[in-house]
Amino acid sequence: MNYAPDSVLRTVFIALSALACPAAVYAQTASDSAENATSIALPSVVVTADKIERPLEMVPASVAVIDGQDLEQSGITTMEQLEGRIGGLSFQPFGQAGMKAPVMRGVTAGIHSYSSSVLLLVDDVPTLMAQGFENSLLDVDRVEVLRGPQSTLYGRNAETGVVAIHSQQMEDTPRATVTTELGSRDKRDVRFALSGPLVANTLYGSVSGSIARQSGFIHNTYTGGDEDHTHHKYLNLGLRWTPTDADEVVTRYTRQDYNDGAALWGNAGQPSDRVASTTPSWNRSLGQTFSINASHLFDTGLRLRSITAYNDYQDKVLQDSDFMPVERLYIGRDNHMRTLSQELRVEGQLGRADWLVGLYGDHGNNDLRNFALRSPVFSDYGGRLKTDSVALFTHWNVPFNDDWSVSAGARIERMSAGITPTGGGHSSQDWTYVSPKLSLQYQINASNQWYISASRGVRAGGYNIFVSRLNYPSYSPEDIWSYETGLKGWALDKQLRYSLAAYVMKIDNMQVQMQPAVGVIYTASAAKATSKGVELDLDYLLGAGWQVTTGVAFNHTTYDSFQDGATNYAGNYNTFAPRLNGHVDLRYTAPQRWYAQGSVVGTSKIYLDAGNRYERNGYGLLNLVVGYPFGQWEVAAYANNTLNKKYDAEGYNAGYYTIYSPPREVGARLTWRM
């Protein structure tokens, strides 16, 4: 399914906008009428998008939310499954678990930049790079996705957005869930979550985890087996202490283990899903986090919050790269990335205004090693990359009157990076930048709002640690100025919730991942670019048990100017940036509580290189699920990629590799809940 023609894109947006705007903005009079009253309505959603609890529709930004029940019943257990399910969010095709480079609003960071354009927050613990950008989405209350620059509140790695995962609260009411799943390719998955009081009204605990195994679909014609089998383990331990009504301390430890076979790679131009590899390929990565989130509420109404987090990720990979019976070409990584971060902030109210002021700092200590065989030469290179950041930030929400309000904030951040390659030498650089944000919001009526905003997003500079022949060149911070306007709110007696946003972003010193030859990857930062687009989210209760949910995003990101060496890329599309992606879900819930859901998730084609020579075609996937709860049990059957669509990325790394797409998967789940 290819969405490339502009006429198709325009038709989709005109149709969906026609559904949203007239009903949303002008239907309030009808919804106020008693004769149109109805007994069904969408539930209210409270988010912490700007670090203060507010209703979703009151946040002057493009925000999408998925609740934990939706994740569970849809069978979403990996970050990759959020692609398209959140309009505007996608990931670079890479084919390795635990390694996810996000793409939002046409902007992304190279995997070897050890940075990210979108920040991942799991219970306030930041992940600052593609390595470890993963979560099993277990025992989750909700996932909030903020689209657009969020550097003011969240710093340099929230350049184009934030994915914030919130676990369910540990409370006095005990809860328990156990799920077993069987599926295609001998899939076996066990997931569990337990939570309850250890000391009534004072101390609470939780433990959740999963073990998942599955055989692969890439057949090795040399060994006769499959190459890409997976074996994942996940653990999340939590402890919440509330010694007084004014104090709370939440401690969490999480662990993600990978014991997989090969990445989803093959030779470009070879038969699909077939290799003839001699070199054993594997992924034995390990991610761990530890955090302490403490707060104290003073009698004056001020709240002091401290968030201490330690993130440790070991990226251990060996990957055959010629896929031939003779061992001639392979690559490997043995990276150890550690980040310690600390945030302190004070929150309060001044009249009708709420505000916060905070300090943030982090220290990154990364031991990096890449090795490769390019027969007959074996190369082994790496070094130590250290980063430091310190920032002061503030944010205010100030109502002028009942109709008009303003949100304003700024962040000043100083960041340094230093590189010490193996064998000696050292280089370092410092950067200081200010990230302001200003939003104006108007309450059209009781249920609908309009906003306009301007903000700056920044991504840190760094070093090309694996380009030794050029003396490890540095690259500058990427700078974005974003201008956005939107409508959001309720209509039809709260049977319809909508959000419509349009934006333009001007990008300077754009960091572009370049792959001019096999095994040669570096980051260039000489580009200027423009990103513009539209995002629409709708949630509509049709009545009689039917519900439609959709989220679509159109984006157009091209280089205004970009000269790298002798090649001029001006006018080309940015790498890995789809022009259109999103989803449409149709769900029926019967009075007897059984449910059925059909979901179409799609994305347009993406280019794999700055020259726009290689691409992954656009696609649309049909996912189906039906479930039946009875007592404390629920049984569900599903089919993902029901029509078995292929959407391989052919031409990764200068046309050499194909990144295979997963085939159709069918299975069944049995869940017990207390």
Side-chain angles (χ1 to χ4, degrees):
M1 181 162 153
N2 196 330
Y3 296 101
D6 289 341
S7 59
V8 176
L9 296 174
R10 285 195 295 269
T11 301
V12 170
F13 278 100
I14 290 171
L16 290 173
S17 299
L19 284 172
C21 296
V25 180
Y26 301 112
Q28 189 60 34
T29 301
S31 69
D32 288 338
S33 172
E35 64 184 13
N36 289 325
T38 179
S39 60
I40 61 171
L42 290 164
S44 297
V45 176
V46 176
V47 297
T48 54
D50 50 10
K51 300 194 176 186
I52 295 174
E53 288 191 355
R54 289 204 285 175
L56 174 63
E57 64 273 8
M58 296 304 297
V59 179
S62 180
V63 185
V65 179
I66 306 178
D67 67 35
Q69 183 181 30
D70 190 358
L71 292 171
E72 184 179 345
Q73 293 187 339
S74 299
I76 297 175
T77 59
T78 67
M79 296 295 292
E80 195 167 19
Q81 289 174 281
L82 295 178
E83 180 165 346
R85 186 57 181 78
I86 298 291
L89 174 65
S90 59
F91 296 93
Q92 295 182 24
F94 193 71
Q96 178 191 319
M99 183 86 77
K100 298 287 185 295
V103 185
M104 191 174 288
R105 292 193 170 179
V107 178
T108 187
I111 287 172
H112 292 284
S113 69
Y114 304 101
S115 184
S116 180
S117 61
V118 177
L119 178 67
L120 173 63
L121 282 176
V122 182
D123 296 316
D124 294 317
V125 176
T127 295
L128 306 177
M129 59 186 73
Q131 292 80 357
F133 201 105
E134 186 59 278
N135 189 267
S136 291
L137 300 172
L138 180 60
D139 200 31
V140 168
D141 176 67
R142 68 190 186 279
V143 177
E144 299 177 17
V145 179
L146 291 75
R147 293 171 292 214
Q150 307 297 328
S151 295
T152 300
L153 278 173
Y154 294 100
R156 66 195 185 280
N157 292 88
E159 178 196 28
T160 59
V162 174
V163 177
I165 300 172
H166 299 271
S167 296
Q168 291 198 51
Q169 179 73 283
M170 292 172 274
E171 299 175 321
D172 274 319
T173 303
R175 67 174 186 274
T177 303
V178 180
T179 299
T180 60
E181 181 176 332
L182 299 175
S184 301
R185 306 196 314 277
D186 196 27
K187 181 177 183 180
R188 292 159 290 165
D189 191 352
V190 177
R191 296 161 62 86
F192 68 92
L194 307 171
S195 180
L198 303 177
V199 178
N201 302 314
T202 302
L203 188 64
Y204 316 88
S206 71
V207 55
S208 60
S210 65
I211 300 176
R213 296 174 181 264
Q214 190 170 29
S215 300
F217 63 90
I218 300 176
H219 182 64
N220 189 334
T221 59
Y222 183 77
T223 64
D226 66 82
E227 282 292 290
D228 56 316
H229 57 273
T230 59
H231 183 192
H232 299 165
K233 297 178 183 177
Y234 173 76
L235 178 67
N236 186 334
L237 301 175
L239 198 63
R240 178 176 175 237
W241 182 41
T242 56
T244 70
D245 291 341
D247 296 285
E248 179 184 65
V249 180
V250 177
T251 303
R252 288 191 180 274
Y253 168 78
T254 65
R255 180 185 177 100
Q256 300 184 85
D257 286 273
Y258 304 93
N259 189 9
D260 299 348
L264 306 185
W265 291 12
N267 261 338
Q270 296 298 313
S272 180
D273 308 344
R274 295 289 186 273
V275 297
S277 296
T278 304
T279 305
S281 299
W282 43 260
N283 170 18
R284 297 171 187 160
S285 299
L286 170 65
Q288 300 180 86
T289 64
F290 179 77
S291 65
I292 301 174
N293 192 329
S295 68
H296 175 73
L297 180 63
F298 294 95
D299 293 338
T300 59
L302 294 180
R303 182 180 296 276
L304 175 64
R305 186 176 298 276
S306 169
I307 303 170
T308 307
Y310 178 71
N311 198 320
D312 185 299
Y313 193 80
Q314 298 176 53
D315 176 30
K316 295 179 178 290
V317 170
L318 181 67
Q319 177 66 48
D320 189 17
S321 299
D322 61 2
F323 316 106
M324 300 296 290
V326 179
E327 188 174 86
R328 297 185 309 163
L329 179 64
Y330 65 74
I331 60 173
R333 301 191 303 272
D334 187 3
N335 299 325
H336 192 184
M337 285 80 71
R338 290 144 293 184
T339 304
L340 177 65
S341 63
Q342 175 66 55
E343 180 176 321
L344 289 170
R345 70 176 187 259
V346 179
E347 307 161 0
Q349 287 190 301
L350 184 62
R352 296 175 60 189
D354 54 63
W355 58 271
L356 62 84
V357 175
L359 286 168
Y360 172 84
D362 65 45
H363 171 71
N365 188 3
N366 307 309
D367 293 317
L368 307 175
R369 179 190 175 215
N370 275 22
F371 55 92
L373 174 68
R374 297 180 178 87
S375 185
V377 178
F378 178 80
S379 58
D380 193 340
Y381 44 92
R384 173 163 291 182
L385 177 66
K386 289 189 175 183
T387 61
D388 288 285
S389 176
V390 62
L392 171 66
F393 62 92
T394 185
H395 189 265
W396 294 70
N397 298 311
V398 183
F400 292 140
N401 51 43
D402 291 340
D403 297 329
W404 292 92
S405 61
V406 65
S407 296
R411 184 186 193 97
I412 182 169
E413 187 162 12
R414 183 169 180 82
M415 192 267 182
S416 64
I419 179 178
T420 306
T422 301
H426 178 77
S427 299
S428 63
Q429 286 201 38
D430 300 308
W431 302 277
T432 300
Y433 34 81
V434 178
S435 303
K437 184 172 185 176
L438 179 65
S439 302
L440 182 67
Q441 183 162 311
Y442 173 63
Q443 193 77 27
I444 300 171
N445 51 43
S447 299
N448 300 282
Q449 297 82 29
W450 166 81
Y451 70 90
I452 187 170
S453 68
S455 58
R456 187 187 190 196
V458 179
R459 190 194 319 157
Y463 285 90
N464 284 291
I465 192 168
F466 301 120
V467 190
S468 57
R469 71 186 190 282
L470 298 178
N471 197 27
Y472 312 99
S474 63
Y475 49 87
S476 301
E478 185 173 282
D479 186 12
I480 290 178
W481 276 101
S482 175
Y483 309 94
E484 180 177 330
T485 186
L487 289 166
K488 60 197 321 186
W490 302 85
L492 305 177
D493 294 309
K494 293 196 172 182
Q495 289 179 253
L496 173 67
R497 178 169 44 227
Y498 74 98
S499 174
L500 179 65
Y503 62 88
V504 175
M505 302 195 309
K506 303 299 292 185
I507 309 168
D508 197 14
N509 290 325
M510 191 178 203
Q511 297 173 16
V512 183
Q513 179 175 288
M514 305 297 291
Q515 302 180 78
V518 177
V520 179
I521 301 176
Y522 65 92
T523 298
S525 61
K528 294 181 182 292
T530 298
S531 172
K532 52 191 175 183
V534 178
E535 295 155 348
L536 174 64
D537 295 298
L538 291 174
D539 198 352
Y540 184 28
L541 288 176
L542 299 173
W546 292 92
Q547 182 174 354
V548 175
T549 304
T550 185
V552 292
F554 168 74
N555 174 267
H556 184 272
T557 302
T558 54
Y559 306 128
D560 299 328
S561 62
F562 183 21
Q563 184 85 27
D564 188 60
T567 307
N568 189 339
Y569 299 102
N572 287 3
Y573 290 96
N574 192 29
T575 55
F576 308 115
R579 295 188 66 186
L580 178 70
N581 84 341
H583 75 103
V584 177
D585 294 350
L586 178 62
R587 179 185 176 93
Y588 175 71
T589 304
Q592 300 83 5
R593 296 199 305 150
W594 66 267
Y595 61 89
Q597 178 174 297
S599 175
V600 176
V601 180
T603 187
S604 61
K605 74 177 179 183
I606 60 172
Y607 290 108
L608 308 178
D609 66 312
N612 292 178
R613 294 176 59 195
Y614 307 105
E615 64 186 52
R616 185 189 68 187
N617 288 331
Y619 63 89
L621 307 181
L622 174 63
N623 301 324
L624 302 173
V625 62
V626 59
Y628 179 71
F630 52 100
Q632 293 179 289
W633 296 85
E634 180 177 311
V635 62
Y638 66 88
N640 294 330
N641 188 8
T642 307
L643 303 179
N644 204 28
K645 293 286 188 179
K646 295 186 69 65
Y647 47 102
D648 298 344
E650 299 186 20
Y652 191 84
N653 200 181
Y656 191 78
Y657 299 123
T658 292
I659 310 297
Y660 295 129
S661 57
R664 174 175 49 227
E665 181 180 305
V666 297
R669 294 189 296 270
L670 180 64
T671 301
W672 174 82
R673 297 186 183 90
M674 181 182 72

Short mmCIF file of all heavy atoms in Angstrom, two decimals, residues 525-561:
data_model
loop_
_atom_site.label_atom_id
_atom_site.label_comp_id
_atom_site.label_asym_id
_atom_site.label_seq_id
_atom_site.Cartn_x
_atom_site.Cartn_y
_atom_site.Cartn_z
N SER A 525 26.73 17.56 9.81
CA SER A 525 25.82 18.58 10.35
C SER A 525 25.93 19.88 9.57
O SER A 525 26.08 20.96 10.13
CB SER A 525 26.12 18.84 11.84
OG SER A 525 27.44 19.33 12.01
N ALA A 526 25.84 19.77 8.26
CA ALA A 526 25.95 20.95 7.40
C ALA A 526 24.64 21.31 6.74
O ALA A 526 24.60 22.18 5.87
CB ALA A 526 27.01 20.71 6.33
N ALA A 527 23.54 20.66 7.13
CA ALA A 527 22.28 20.85 6.42
C ALA A 527 21.40 21.89 7.08
O ALA A 527 21.38 22.05 8.30
CB ALA A 527 21.53 19.53 6.33
N LYS A 528 20.64 22.58 6.25
CA LYS A 528 19.50 23.38 6.68
C LYS A 528 18.26 22.73 6.07
O LYS A 528 18.29 22.27 4.93
CB LYS A 528 19.61 24.83 6.21
CG LYS A 528 20.76 25.61 6.84
CD LYS A 528 20.78 27.05 6.33
CE LYS A 528 21.95 27.84 6.91
NZ LYS A 528 21.80 28.05 8.36
N ALA A 529 17.18 22.68 6.84
CA ALA A 529 16.00 21.96 6.37
C ALA A 529 14.74 22.63 6.89
O ALA A 529 14.77 23.43 7.83
CB ALA A 529 16.05 20.50 6.82
N THR A 530 13.63 22.29 6.24
CA THR A 530 12.31 22.75 6.68
C THR A 530 11.41 21.52 6.84
O THR A 530 11.36 20.66 5.97
CB THR A 530 11.68 23.70 5.65
OG1 THR A 530 12.50 24.86 5.52
CG2 THR A 530 10.28 24.13 6.10
N SER A 531 10.73 21.47 7.98
CA SER A 531 9.76 20.42 8.25
C SER A 531 8.41 21.07 8.47
O SER A 531 8.30 22.02 9.25
CB SER A 531 10.18 19.61 9.49
OG SER A 531 9.15 18.71 9.87
N LYS A 532 7.40 20.57 7.79
CA LYS A 532 6.06 21.11 7.98
C LYS A 532 5.06 19.97 7.92
O LYS A 532 5.31 18.94 7.25
CB LYS A 532 5.73 22.16 6.93
CG LYS A 532 5.96 21.73 5.50
CD LYS A 532 5.87 22.91 4.55
CE LYS A 532 6.23 22.51 3.12
NZ LYS A 532 6.21 23.65 2.20
N GLY A 533 3.95 20.12 8.65
CA GLY A 533 3.02 19.02 8.66
C GLY A 533 1.74 19.29 9.43
O GLY A 533 1.53 20.39 9.96
N VAL A 534 0.89 18.26 9.45
CA VAL A 534 -0.42 18.31 10.11
C VAL A 534 -0.60 17.00 10.87
O VAL A 534 -0.22 15.93 10.38
CB VAL A 534 -1.56 18.48 9.08
CG1 VAL A 534 -2.92 18.48 9.78
CG2 VAL A 534 -1.37 19.75 8.26
N GLU A 535 -1.17 17.09 12.08
CA GLU A 535 -1.45 15.91 12.90
C GLU A 535 -2.89 15.96 13.37
O GLU A 535 -3.37 17.01 13.81
CB GLU A 535 -0.51 15.85 14.10
CG GLU A 535 0.94 15.67 13.72
CD GLU A 535 1.92 16.18 14.76
OE1 GLU A 535 1.50 16.89 15.69
OE2 GLU A 535 3.13 15.90 14.62
N LEU A 536 -3.58 14.82 13.26
CA LEU A 536 -4.98 14.75 13.65
C LEU A 536 -5.23 13.50 14.47
O LEU A 536 -4.84 12.39 14.08
CB LEU A 536 -5.88 14.71 12.40
CG LEU A 536 -7.39 14.49 12.65
CD1 LEU A 536 -8.00 15.65 13.43
CD2 LEU A 536 -8.11 14.29 11.32
N ASP A 537 -5.86 13.66 15.65
CA ASP A 537 -6.26 12.55 16.49
C ASP A 537 -7.76 12.66 16.76
O ASP A 537 -8.25 13.74 17.10
CB ASP A 537 -5.52 12.57 17.83
CG ASP A 537 -4.03 12.35 17.66
OD1 ASP A 537 -3.65 11.28 17.17
OD2 ASP A 537 -3.25 13.26 18.02
N LEU A 538 -8.47 11.53 16.60
CA LEU A 538 -9.90 11.48 16.86
C LEU A 538 -10.23 10.24 17.67
O LEU A 538 -9.69 9.16 17.41
CB LEU A 538 -10.70 11.41 15.55
CG LEU A 538 -10.73 12.63 14.63
CD1 LEU A 538 -11.44 12.27 13.34
CD2 LEU A 538 -11.42 13.78 15.31
N ASP A 539 -11.13 10.39 18.63
CA ASP A 539 -11.67 9.27 19.39
C ASP A 539 -13.18 9.48 19.45
O ASP A 539 -13.66 10.46 20.03
CB ASP A 539 -11.07 9.24 20.79
CG ASP A 539 -11.25 7.89 21.47
OD1 ASP A 539 -11.97 7.04 20.92
OD2 ASP A 539 -10.69 7.71 22.57
N TYR A 540 -13.95 8.57 18.83
CA TYR A 540 -15.37 8.81 18.61
C TYR A 540 -16.18 7.59 19.03
O TYR A 540 -15.99 6.48 18.51
CB TYR A 540 -15.61 9.13 17.13
CG TYR A 540 -17.04 9.50 16.78
CD1 TYR A 540 -17.88 10.12 17.70
CD2 TYR A 540 -17.52 9.25 15.50
CE1 TYR A 540 -19.18 10.46 17.37
CE2 TYR A 540 -18.82 9.60 15.15
CZ TYR A 540 -19.64 10.19 16.09
OH TYR A 540 -20.93 10.53 15.76
N LEU A 541 -17.08 7.79 20.00
CA LEU A 541 -18.03 6.76 20.40
C LEU A 541 -19.24 6.83 19.48
O LEU A 541 -20.03 7.79 19.53
CB LEU A 541 -18.46 6.97 21.86
CG LEU A 541 -17.43 6.65 22.94
CD1 LEU A 541 -17.99 7.02 24.31
CD2 LEU A 541 -17.02 5.20 22.91
N LEU A 542 -19.41 5.80 18.65
CA LEU A 542 -20.52 5.80 17.70
C LEU A 542 -21.84 5.40 18.35
O LEU A 542 -22.91 5.65 17.80
CB LEU A 542 -20.22 4.83 16.56
CG LEU A 542 -18.97 5.14 15.72
CD1 LEU A 542 -18.70 4.00 14.76
CD2 LEU A 542 -19.12 6.44 14.98
N GLY A 543 -21.77 4.77 19.51
CA GLY A 543 -22.97 4.27 20.16
C GLY A 543 -23.16 2.80 19.90
O GLY A 543 -22.55 2.20 18.99
N ALA A 544 -24.01 2.15 20.71
CA ALA A 544 -24.32 0.72 20.59
C ALA A 544 -23.06 -0.14 20.66
O ALA A 544 -22.96 -1.18 20.02
CB ALA A 544 -25.07 0.44 19.29
N GLY A 545 -22.04 0.34 21.42
CA GLY A 545 -20.83 -0.44 21.62
C GLY A 545 -19.72 -0.20 20.62
O GLY A 545 -18.64 -0.80 20.74
N TRP A 546 -19.93 0.68 19.63
CA TRP A 546 -18.94 0.91 18.58
C TRP A 546 -18.09 2.14 18.90
O TRP A 546 -18.59 3.14 19.40
CB TRP A 546 -19.61 1.10 17.23
CG TRP A 546 -20.25 -0.15 16.71
CD1 TRP A 546 -21.54 -0.55 16.89
CD2 TRP A 546 -19.63 -1.16 15.93
NE1 TRP A 546 -21.77 -1.75 16.27
CE2 TRP A 546 -20.60 -2.16 15.67
CE3 TRP A 546 -18.34 -1.35 15.42
CZ2 TRP A 546 -20.33 -3.30 14.93
CZ3 TRP A 546 -18.06 -2.48 14.67
CH2 TRP A 546 -19.05 -3.45 14.43
N GLN A 547 -16.80 2.05 18.58
CA GLN A 547 -15.87 3.15 18.81
C GLN A 547 -14.84 3.19 17.68
O GLN A 547 -14.32 2.16 17.26
CB GLN A 547 -15.15 3.00 20.15
CG GLN A 547 -14.20 4.15 20.49
CD GLN A 547 -13.63 4.03 21.90
OE1 GLN A 547 -14.03 3.15 22.66
NE2 GLN A 547 -12.71 4.90 22.25
N VAL A 548 -14.56 4.41 17.20
CA VAL A 548 -13.54 4.62 16.17
C VAL A 548 -12.44 5.49 16.77
O VAL A 548 -12.73 6.54 17.37
CB VAL A 548 -14.12 5.30 14.91
CG1 VAL A 548 -13.00 5.63 13.92
CG2 VAL A 548 -15.14 4.41 14.24
N THR A 549 -11.22 5.07 16.60
CA THR A 549 -10.06 5.85 17.04
C THR A 549 -9.10 5.97 15.86
O THR A 549 -8.82 4.97 15.18
CB THR A 549 -9.34 5.17 18.21
OG1 THR A 549 -10.26 4.95 19.27
CG2 THR A 549 -8.20 6.03 18.71
N THR A 550 -8.63 7.18 15.62
CA THR A 550 -7.68 7.37 14.52
C THR A 550 -6.66 8.43 14.89
O THR A 550 -6.93 9.36 15.64
CB THR A 550 -8.41 7.77 13.22
OG1 THR A 550 -7.46 7.83 12.15
CG2 THR A 550 -9.06 9.13 13.35
N GLY A 551 -5.48 8.25 14.36
CA GLY A 551 -4.43 9.25 14.47
C GLY A 551 -3.60 9.22 13.22
O GLY A 551 -3.07 8.17 12.84
N VAL A 552 -3.51 10.34 12.51
CA VAL A 552 -2.74 10.41 11.27
C VAL A 552 -1.86 11.64 11.30
O VAL A 552 -2.18 12.66 11.94
CB VAL A 552 -3.66 10.46 10.03
CG1 VAL A 552 -4.39 9.15 9.84
CG2 VAL A 552 -4.65 11.62 10.12
N ALA A 553 -0.72 11.54 10.63
CA ALA A 553 0.22 12.66 10.59
C ALA A 553 0.82 12.76 9.19
O ALA A 553 1.29 11.76 8.64
CB ALA A 553 1.32 12.47 11.62
N PHE A 554 0.79 13.96 8.65
CA PHE A 554 1.44 14.25 7.37
C PHE A 554 2.65 15.12 7.66
O PHE A 554 2.59 16.07 8.44
CB PHE A 554 0.49 15.00 6.43
CG PHE A 554 1.17 15.58 5.24
CD1 PHE A 554 1.60 14.77 4.20
CD2 PHE A 554 1.41 16.94 5.16
CE1 PHE A 554 2.24 15.31 3.10
CE2 PHE A 554 2.05 17.50 4.06
CZ PHE A 554 2.47 16.68 3.03
N ASN A 555 3.78 14.78 7.03
CA ASN A 555 5.01 15.54 7.24
C ASN A 555 5.78 15.66 5.93
O ASN A 555 5.80 14.73 5.11
CB ASN A 555 5.90 14.86 8.28
CG ASN A 555 7.25 15.54 8.43
OD1 ASN A 555 8.22 15.15 7.79
ND2 ASN A 555 7.31 16.56 9.26
N HIS A 556 6.41 16.80 5.75
CA HIS A 556 7.22 17.06 4.55
C HIS A 556 8.51 17.71 5.04
O HIS A 556 8.52 18.88 5.45
CB HIS A 556 6.46 17.99 3.61
CG HIS A 556 7.16 18.24 2.30
ND1 HIS A 556 8.08 19.25 2.13
CD2 HIS A 556 7.07 17.61 1.10
CE1 HIS A 556 8.51 19.25 0.88
NE2 HIS A 556 7.92 18.26 0.24
N THR A 557 9.61 16.93 5.05
CA THR A 557 10.90 17.42 5.53
C THR A 557 11.93 17.28 4.42
O THR A 557 12.26 16.15 4.01
CB THR A 557 11.36 16.65 6.78
OG1 THR A 557 10.39 16.77 7.81
CG2 THR A 557 12.68 17.21 7.29
N THR A 558 12.44 18.40 3.94
CA THR A 558 13.43 18.40 2.87
C THR A 558 14.59 19.32 3.24
O THR A 558 14.46 20.24 4.05
CB THR A 558 12.82 18.88 1.54
OG1 THR A 558 12.20 20.16 1.73
CG2 THR A 558 11.78 17.89 1.04
N TYR A 559 15.74 19.04 2.62
CA TYR A 559 16.94 19.85 2.84
C TYR A 559 16.83 21.14 2.03
O TYR A 559 16.68 21.11 0.81
CB TYR A 559 18.20 19.10 2.42
CG TYR A 559 18.36 17.74 3.04
CD1 TYR A 559 18.58 16.61 2.24
CD2 TYR A 559 18.28 17.56 4.42
CE1 TYR A 559 18.74 15.36 2.79
CE2 TYR A 559 18.43 16.31 4.98
CZ TYR A 559 18.66 15.21 4.17
OH TYR A 559 18.80 13.96 4.72
N ASP A 560 16.91 22.28 2.70
CA ASP A 560 17.00 23.55 1.98
C ASP A 560 18.37 23.71 1.36
O ASP A 560 18.51 24.23 0.25
CB ASP A 560 16.72 24.72 2.94
CG ASP A 560 15.33 24.63 3.54
OD1 ASP A 560 14.42 24.14 2.86
OD2 ASP A 560 15.16 25.05 4.70
N SER A 561 19.39 23.27 2.10
CA SER A 561 20.76 23.24 1.58
C SER A 561 21.52 22.16 2.33
O SER A 561 21.34 21.99 3.53
CB SER A 561 21.45 24.60 1.76
OG SER A 561 21.56 24.94 3.13
#
